Amino acid sequence: MIEIRDLHFKYHSQTDEVLKGVNLKIKKGEFVSIIGPSGCGKSTLCLTLNGIIPKTISGQFSGDVIIDGMNTKDHEVSEFSKKVGMILQNPESQLFAMTVEEELAFGPENLAVPREEIEDRISWALSIVNMENKRDEFPGNLSGGQKQRIAIAASLTMMPEILVLDEPTSQLDPIGKREVFSVLEQLHKEEKMTIVLVEHRTEPIAELSDKVVVMDNGAIVLQGTPRVVFEKVPILRELGIMVPDISYLTYLLKEGGYVKDIALTVEEARRLFI
């Protein structure tokens, strides 16, 4: 579904490359999380996945980003709007309509989708994010978590095959974070959607991801299943990445010879001692 080949990028305003030879493959229906220290290029990488870089944000770009067979260098950003949904850190930057219904209708209306189908898409998207009772609400009156769920629903009405989320919970309280991760879990397991998530909190990443990609200084330095990545505790801590607490604890116990493996969840940890 996504193939990135030897990707390099440098903003015109900077002297150093932000992306340095990134190579990555993501399968259809895969949940991939990207982690790394601030400034390592995660957000820039996200912007290449729908052609915003290099089509809208210019710079020195080389390599290839291929989305479902379409090279972003050869197609306009508008052509990817039906394939890739993008969710940013601040949901308020993405919401502008006077009602939730108008917000969700905006995208498909611009694609000239028939009105009956738009109604069906809105109802479906609101059911996915469990916000059916907010259809006539003014988005500005919603909580942070609700706003982010509406931003996700607005993207879903475009029927994208890929959902890219750049730190979608960074400005949310614990309840809002749980709400968003619950929606992502449902989209992955029930709708089989391809999800690319940039996130600092590693606990939900360990539970939800099929693959974890670790970036540092513009390059991918480690990738694999959550278990493969989070057992590399010394490497991650050197990069300033905190592994899930339960994984760190069981890593120390494994190093001491008390258990045979690390755990990604509390339930896994319990089974290690049975």
Side-chain angles (χ1 to χ4, degrees), residues 25-195:
K25 292 182 179 181
I26 297 175
K27 299 176 183 177
K28 183 177 178 64
E30 200 168 27
F31 193 129
V32 176
S33 294
I34 302 174
I35 60 177
S38 297
C40 70
K42 304 185 298 295
S43 295
T44 299
L45 182 61
C46 286
L47 294 175
T48 69
L49 299 181
N50 64 354
I52 289 179
I53 293 177
K55 291 294 184 176
T56 302
I57 300 175
S58 62
Q60 294 183 16
F61 180 99
S62 66
D64 296 288
V65 179
I66 300 171
I67 308 297
D68 196 20
M70 297 170 60
N71 195 312
T72 58
K73 292 188 294 190
D74 302 329
H75 298 270
E76 297 304 317
V77 175
S78 59
E79 297 180 66
F80 292 99
S81 62
K82 292 182 286 185
K83 284 192 174 292
V84 182
M86 183 77 71
I87 307 299
L88 306 177
Q89 295 181 29
N90 184 0
E92 294 185 358
S93 68
Q94 297 180 262
L95 304 178
F96 57 87
M98 295 304 294
T99 69
V100 167
E101 181 178 47
E102 291 174 356
E103 190 73 48
L104 270 62
F106 180 80
E109 281 179 345
N110 279 273
L111 296 177
V113 174
R115 186 64 199 178
E116 295 78 9
E117 184 177 342
I118 292 177
E119 291 287 343
D120 291 341
R121 290 189 187 189
I122 291 173
S123 298
W124 169 75
L126 288 175
S127 69
I128 290 289
V129 300
N130 194 26
M131 295 280 283
E132 298 97 325
N133 63 335
K134 302 295 183 182
R135 189 173 185 132
D136 299 319
E137 192 82 32
F138 173 53
N141 292 336
L142 303 176
S143 69
Q146 290 173 332
K147 289 176 182 176
Q148 195 63 288
R149 285 153 64 194
I150 291 301
I152 293 173
S155 180
L156 293 180
T157 60
M158 299 289 285
M159 307 299 287
E161 298 177 57
I162 303 165
L163 194 61
V164 179
L165 305 102
D166 185 10
E167 297 188 45
T169 68
S170 64
Q171 300 187 29
L172 304 184
D173 60 23
I175 294 176
K177 293 178 191 291
R178 286 197 299 270
E179 291 173 345
V180 171
F181 287 126
S182 177
V183 170
L184 297 184
E185 182 177 18
Q186 183 180 356
L187 288 172
H188 178 228
K189 291 184 176 180
E190 298 182 14
E191 304 298 328
K192 310 302 181 185
M193 185 171 286
T194 305
I195 295 176

Side-chain angles (χ1 to χ4, degrees), residues 234-249:
I235 295 174
L236 297 177
R237 288 176 68 86
E238 184 177 342
L239 293 173
I241 300 170
M242 298 303 295
V243 301
D245 290 340
I246 196 66
S247 299
Y248 184 52
L249 173 61

